[in-house]
Amino acid sequence: MSRKVTDNGVAPEGADDRAARHVHVLIIGSGFSGLGLAIRLSQDGRDDYLVLERGGDVGGTWRDNTYPGAACDVPSHLYSYSFALNPNWSRSFSRQPEIQRYIQDVADRYRVRDKHIFDCEMTGARWNDTAKYWEVQTSRGAYTTDILVSAVGALCEPALPDIKGINDFEGELFHSARWDHDSDLAGKRVAVIGTGASAIQIVPSIAPRVARLDVYQRTAPWLLPRMDRPYTRPERLAFRYLPGVQRLSRTAIYAARESQVVGLAKFPPAMLALELIARAKLRREVPDPALRAKVTPNFRIGCKRMLISNDYYPALGRDNVDLITDGIREIRAGSIVAADGTEREVDAIVVATGFHVTDSPAYEVVYGRDGRSLAAVFDESGQQGYKGSAIVGYPNMFFLLGPNVGLGHTSMVYMIESQIAYIADAIAAFDRLGLGTVEVRKSVQDNYNRDLQGKLVGSVWNTGGCASWYLDKHGNNTTLWPDFTFRFRKMLEKFDPGAYETTIADGATRPDPKVVAAR
């Protein structure tokens, strides 16, 4: 394959579109993770990278999820980059438009938009073991790259339920992550399928304006109070002008959230305190005993994602809202038939059934050294990686938010920044050590995952009595990090080339280890 190389990796105007454009580092996706890595590479003085983003702007899930009531369940001061604190957050838990504006502002402030190719979807990536680079196909032409970084988020591919007749529905039907803003639900009979993180925000937002709302629940979630309030002007002034105030607030939030790891991963009985809070909330906000029985979970709190809301339970108690727990038998042209045979006519269906996490379609188009796709590898052995950042069989490829990096209690931005430091140091190591290729050793990855799954055995996710999207088809939790997040950060402080099979780049010589160690 020919390669067209320019100073910034972009083919000049009028170049032959059939010739692949080459760049040293190619980042796929520009949510918090891809954008953060782009900024770090620029700060390191690198210009030899590009970010391919299938959407028309930065933001990832916060660009795409624009449903009514969309908001974050992590406090604002912790849900931001540590190098770009925002003293102007309007409230303690930010809503989607404000988070998206923050991400856009950061991209502008650090001047990395010109390193992006927007509206450019990766359609395939294959390792060329002869040329020792990745060949990447996109909706806007071909690329080759020495180092490929997947920053494809876990919550980017909507999952539609496998329900008989769903394609026969003649009314309005859309996923919560692809909200149809041209649809006016006012005065209509609406069904919401799902009671997860998106649904508990959507239901109270639309319930007052629809004629009737049917909420289809498969599993009742645990809900905790949402300690949300607007920040006062004096508080915002303090965050802006008093040194350390915002960082102190961020540190306090981090410490409080991190304390939950004891119950989640170390000693599940410690979750009883949170469960008592959730049960008290249930009794206070759901006075109807029959409804309360329906929304009371049958598993230990923390086993599935813990949700926060102050208005979901009251919305279920409205006269025009009905919670259905019998399951769905089929969907017809203008109605939904429950498992008990009850048919309810509906004008619109909102599907809030989450995302493809352990089975992302993105895995189907990335082919490694042996010609197998990530999907095939994961299907055979489950999602396994090394430090959530590298996978055996995929040389010169790094992952942001790879296997077992997810969290159930605090900010993913903290984990993202930890991985950014590791991957940026790995990229620097190519120059520092004269490397041509790096691939994590199978023995290292196996040992890492053996230890990881050992830590998960006694966690609430494995012993709490629930089935969740945290688990893959092999029964392994391949999603969550089972320890304190500061230990993850310590582990990823520096790239560890000894854990990888490495080759030297053409024309390079292996440096003296003593010289490298002294740097």
Side-chain angles (χ1 to χ4, degrees):
M1 176 177 288
S2 62
R3 303 196 296 179
K4 187 175 292 296
V5 185
T6 65
D7 289 341
N8 65 357
V10 182
E13 190 72 25
D16 184 357
D17 289 338
R18 293 171 297 178
R21 290 163 280 183
H22 184 74
V23 63
H24 184 49
V25 180
L26 195 63
I27 303 168
I28 310 299
S30 190
F32 263 107
S33 54
L35 176 62
L37 180 59
I39 292 170
R40 173 60 185 269
L41 294 181
S42 288
Q43 290 175 326
D44 287 349
R46 292 193 171 278
D47 190 51
D48 51 356
Y49 75 89
L50 282 177
V51 184
L52 306 186
E53 168 53 56
R54 70 178 182 179
D57 200 354
V58 297
T61 189
W62 293 108
R63 178 198 62 228
D64 295 341
N65 283 266
T66 59
Y67 58 80
C72 191
D73 57 5
V74 175
S76 304
H77 288 305
L78 190 58
Y79 200 75
S80 56
Y81 295 115
S82 63
F83 58 84
L85 300 187
N86 178 18
N88 300 315
W89 292 120
S90 65
R91 55 193 314 113
S92 51
F93 286 85
S94 301
R95 294 168 182 167
Q96 178 271 332
E98 191 170 16
I99 297 173
Q100 176 62 2
R101 284 196 301 271
Y102 165 76
I103 298 171
Q104 292 170 323
D105 289 345
V106 170
D108 292 336
R109 188 189 322 169
Y110 288 90
R111 300 179 180 179
V112 294
R113 282 188 182 272
D114 63 344
K115 304 300 293 183
H116 284 68
I117 307 294
F118 293 110
D119 298 312
C120 182
E121 181 173 8
M122 183 187 75
T123 57
R126 187 178 296 270
W127 173 251
N128 185 323
D129 205 39
T130 301
K132 306 302 182 188
Y133 58 69
W134 283 92
E135 297 172 343
V136 180
Q137 301 298 323
T138 80
S139 59
R140 298 188 62 180
Y143 294 82
T144 59
T145 183
D146 302 311
I147 302 170
L148 182 64
V149 181
S150 171
V152 178
L155 307 181
C156 68
E157 294 290 347
L160 291 175
D162 184 16
I163 299 175
K164 178 183 176 182
I166 192 169
N167 294 323
D168 298 328
F169 185 66
E170 296 179 354
E172 299 164 284
L173 187 151
F174 47 87
H175 193 279
S176 58
R178 302 291 184 265
W179 194 270
D180 183 358
H181 290 279
D182 292 330
S183 173
D184 184 5
L185 300 180
K188 293 181 179 178
R189 299 164 297 183
V190 180
V192 172
I193 302 176
T195 53
S198 299
I200 68 159
Q201 296 178 341
I202 293 169
V203 167
S205 298
I206 67 174
R209 57 192 179 90
V210 301
R212 194 189 75 230
L213 180 59
D214 297 328
V215 181
Y216 287 84
Q217 171 188 284
R218 183 173 60 181
T219 305
W222 282 108
L223 263 63
L224 293 167
R226 186 178 183 86
M227 310 301 288
D228 188 23
R229 65 175 181 83
Y231 283 124
T232 64
R233 178 173 172 77
E235 284 176 311
R236 293 200 301 273
L237 289 174
F239 293 145
R240 175 176 287 277
Y241 295 112
L242 294 182
V245 170
Q246 189 173 12
R247 290 204 177 273
L248 181 62
S249 174
R250 180 184 176 96
T251 300
I253 294 167
Y254 172 79
R257 290 285 176 132
E258 200 70 359
S259 67
Q260 294 181 24
V261 175
V262 175
L264 290 170
K266 308 294 184 182
F267 185 63
M271 297 300 291
L272 179 60
L274 283 178
E275 186 169 319
L276 291 174
I277 294 172
R279 288 189 181 278
K281 177 182 176 67
L282 258 173
R283 289 192 299 271
R284 183 177 64 254
E285 297 182 0
V286 188
D288 178 7
L291 179 58
R292 191 187 313 140
K294 286 184 176 182
V295 296
T296 299
N298 59 0
F299 53 87
R300 178 174 285 164
I301 192 170
C303 184
K304 294 171 75 75
R305 182 176 177 182
M306 295 178 289
L307 307 180
I308 57 173
S309 176
N310 296 333
D311 50 12
Y312 177 68
Y313 286 151
L316 294 182
R318 293 177 57 94
D319 292 338
N320 68 326
V321 177
D322 190 13
L323 181 69
I324 300 138
T325 59
D326 296 314
I328 299 175
R329 178 190 298 174
E330 67 174 312
I331 295 176
R332 296 176 179 171
S335 63
I336 296 179
V337 182
D340 66 354
T342 303
E343 183 175 6
R344 296 173 174 85
E345 294 184 350
V346 289
D347 303 306
I349 299 175
V350 176
V351 180
T353 49
F355 300 84
H356 291 284
V357 178
T358 59
D359 61 342
S360 174
Y363 301 151
E364 298 175 1
V365 299
V366 179
Y367 296 86
R369 180 169 40 78
D370 64 359
R372 289 193 301 164
S373 69
L374 268 173
V377 171
F378 288 162
D379 184 67
E380 178 183 310
S381 57
Q383 286 193 32
Q384 295 184 18
Y386 177 61
K387 298 185 176 180
S389 305
I391 295 174
V392 171
Y394 293 82
N396 290 17
M397 184 172 186
F398 296 97
F399 296 80
L400 284 157
L401 303 181
N404 288 101
V405 176
L407 300 172
H409 68 288
T410 192
S411 175
M412 282 304 302
V413 182
Y414 184 92
M415 301 294 274
I416 288 168
E417 288 196 46
S418 302
Q419 286 194 284
I420 286 172
Y422 183 78
I423 294 172
D425 193 48
I427 293 170
F430 275 77
D431 296 334
R432 187 170 66 245
L433 304 178
L435 299 177
T437 63
V438 301
E439 180 184 347
V440 65
R441 300 175 189 270
K442 187 176 188 306
S443 60
V444 170
Q445 179 172 294
D446 288 346
N447 290 336
Y448 176 83
N449 281 277
R450 192 176 300 114
D451 179 65
L452 198 69
Q453 293 302 320
K455 290 181 178 179
L456 282 160
V457 168
S459 72
V460 71
W461 308 302
N462 282 31
T463 64
C466 73
S468 74
W469 56 267
Y470 297 152
L471 308 180
D472 66 14
K473 73 172 190 176
H474 302 279
N476 293 321
N477 187 329
T478 59
T479 305
L480 297 177
W481 170 247
D483 207 336
F484 295 104
T485 60
F486 57 79
R487 288 181 175 165
F488 182 82
R489 174 155 294 188
K490 179 68 176 177
M491 185 176 69
L492 273 76
E493 275 184 336
K494 292 288 184 181
F495 178 63
D496 46 348
Y500 293 76
E501 297 282 358
T502 61
T503 65
I504 297 302
D506 292 343
T509 58
R510 188 176 292 277
D512 185 337
K514 294 180 180 178
V515 174
V516 172
R519 291 179 180 173

